Amino acid sequence: MRSFTRVRTALAACALSGVLALSGCSVLGEDSGGSASAGAGEAGAGADTAASPEADVPYDVVPLLKPDKKYFGAAVEGAPNSMKSLDTYTEMVGKQPNLIEYYAAWGDGFDATGVRNAWREGAMTLMSWEPFDTPVADIAAGKSDAYIEEYATAVRKLNLPVVISFADEFNGHWEKWGTKNVTPEDYVAAWRHIHETFIDVGASNVIWAWSPNIVNPVKSVKLKPYYPGDAYVDWVGLIGYWTIEEDGAFDSVFGATRDQVRTFTKKPMILLETAAMAGERRRADIRNLFAGVTADDDMLGFVWFNHKKRADWRLEASPLALKEFKRLAADDSFGFDVRKP
């Protein structure tokens, strides 16, 4: 099968010849105020509207796949649809996040407003797409095709880069789409079917993040059978947290998962969702987070989960740890304007 990069190149060529001449506002219930499109050249300069034929060329995400600097991401309540809480977070940590994660249920419309909000501030969105009420086998069988096509068309029309993670933590038993309810075969088939549908409508402006939970709590579940293949994946997004069950070393949290993944793919990795449990050890855990990501050239960065759920992962819950986080975040190797990678 052709590599995903070659597919994107082919799509761009088709677009130049007018085959993929898609433009206009996004669909699926988004706002209609102003144009939702941005051309590849204009988007790189931070523009928000389409004013030239170049808008018909799919945004080239290749420079964003493995940039020179690290992603400095955050998942914050309400963002990116509203940026108020993210602005508060930015002031608190001293740096603007450039990757904003949010969560959407299968069946939700594409949040074009949120993607534009983030882009205006030099950030890219990362959507965790969660099929709570739709069986993964049904998605694989094509029963959601109308929804996927509509969603993919909206993504293509907006023509800004977005990251999509479908059914993350699939190797855990705690999710509806986890190991109790979904086979590896159905998971892979659904992933490939979604990906192929996006490509069919020309939505090559997506970075696809395959996101297992760290293997520590589910050591018996092997990851390779769930891997869709390098032609369908851009990033490996690891999900894992520093808790009192671990000794705090970066390799103790992520090492076993990283090593297992490296037996079947060399795709770059990112900590798609992480945080450290509040308590005396949090400052040390934060130091280990920054040091571990810095030390690995194939580790693209991290997304801090700044929510209070099950535990209080918010940085503001630990003033001394927040101070340490802010000090380390000041490193210029973390964060960059995604419009100018």
Side-chain angles (χ1 to χ4, degrees):
M1 174 167 286
R2 296 179 299 169
S3 71
F4 196 20
T5 300
R6 288 176 60 196
V7 171
R8 286 187 172 118
T9 303
L11 284 169
C14 290
L16 284 169
S17 65
V19 174
L20 296 177
L22 299 172
S23 60
C25 297
S26 66
V27 295
L28 294 180
E30 276 306 315
D31 63 289
S32 57
S35 172
S37 296
E42 290 180 307
D48 190 47
T49 58
S52 76
E54 290 183 357
D56 290 334
V57 180
Y59 192 99
D60 182 9
V61 300
V62 171
L64 293 163
L65 295 181
K66 196 175 181 183
D68 291 335
K69 294 186 178 183
K70 305 287 187 180
Y71 283 100
F72 179 69
V76 181
E77 193 70 39
N81 196 266
S82 170
M83 297 294 279
K84 291 181 180 179
S85 56
L86 193 80
D87 292 342
T88 300
Y89 181 88
T90 298
E91 184 177 358
M92 178 177 69
V93 303
K95 179 174 284 187
Q96 162 77 50
N98 65 347
L99 189 61
I100 303 171
E101 183 169 14
Y102 70 100
Y103 303 86
W106 189 260
D108 287 354
F110 173 54
D111 187 5
T113 296
V115 174
R116 286 195 300 269
N117 289 344
W119 190 256
R120 290 189 190 104
E121 298 193 18
M124 187 164 55
T125 56
L126 190 166
M127 178 188 69
S128 180
W129 211 355
E130 302 175 317
F132 285 108
D133 300 316
T134 303
V136 170
D138 285 355
I139 296 172
K143 295 182 180 181
S144 292
D145 279 5
Y147 168 62
I148 301 170
E149 289 170 9
E150 192 176 11
Y151 200 104
T153 300
V155 171
R156 173 62 186 92
K157 285 184 177 180
L158 181 61
N159 203 20
L160 291 175
V162 296
V163 185
I164 294 178
S165 171
F166 169 71
D168 62 1
E169 301 183 52
F170 51 83
N171 57 321
H173 52 77
W174 50 86
E175 301 287 11
K176 282 190 174 182
W177 53 88
T179 54
K180 286 185 177 180
N181 303 304
V182 178
T183 66
E185 293 78 12
D186 282 340
Y187 179 84
V188 168
W191 180 286
R192 290 179 175 179
H193 185 68
I194 295 166
H195 184 285
E196 289 166 357
T197 303
F198 272 69
I199 294 300
D200 285 346
V201 305
S204 60
N205 51 307
V206 177
I207 295 172
W208 295 92
W210 178 74
S211 309
N213 194 82
I214 55 173
V215 299
N216 299 14
V218 283
K219 291 182 174 64
S220 63
V221 180
K222 300 304 179 185
L223 295 176
K224 186 176 181 180
Y226 288 90
Y227 188 61
D230 281 357
Y232 298 90
V233 172
D234 297 301
W235 292 350
V236 174
L238 304 184
I239 298 175
Y241 291 76
W242 271 264
T243 67
I244 58 175
E245 284 78 24
E246 308 290 348
D247 65 17
F250 186 88
D251 278 355
S252 296
V253 182
F254 295 103
T257 312
R258 179 198 59 213
D259 294 347
Q260 189 178 142
V261 168
R262 282 291 171 250
T263 65
F264 56 84
T265 183
K266 301 301 181 185
K267 290 290 183 177
M269 295 185 181
I270 188 167
L271 303 188
L272 189 103
E273 189 182 298
T274 193
M277 188 172 286
E280 292 183 4
R281 208 185 70 185
R282 190 180 236 192
R283 277 184 296 172
D285 291 341
I286 286 172
R287 285 194 292 270
N288 289 335
L289 164 64
F290 277 89
V293 172
T294 299
D296 188 343
D297 288 341
D298 282 332
M299 191 66 70
L300 301 175
F302 68 88
V303 177
W304 183 273
F305 184 79
N306 206 63
H307 291 273
K308 184 178 182 180
K309 293 188 177 180
R310 297 195 182 99
D312 195 346
W313 306 108
R314 297 172 304 161
L315 286 165
E316 56 265 39
S318 304
L320 292 176
L322 169 59
K323 184 177 180 180
E324 184 71 355
F325 186 96
K326 185 174 183 178
R327 181 183 73 83
L328 295 168
D331 185 336
D332 186 57
S333 63
F334 284 88
F336 59 93
D337 187 332
V338 297
R339 298 167 298 184
K340 306 169 186 177

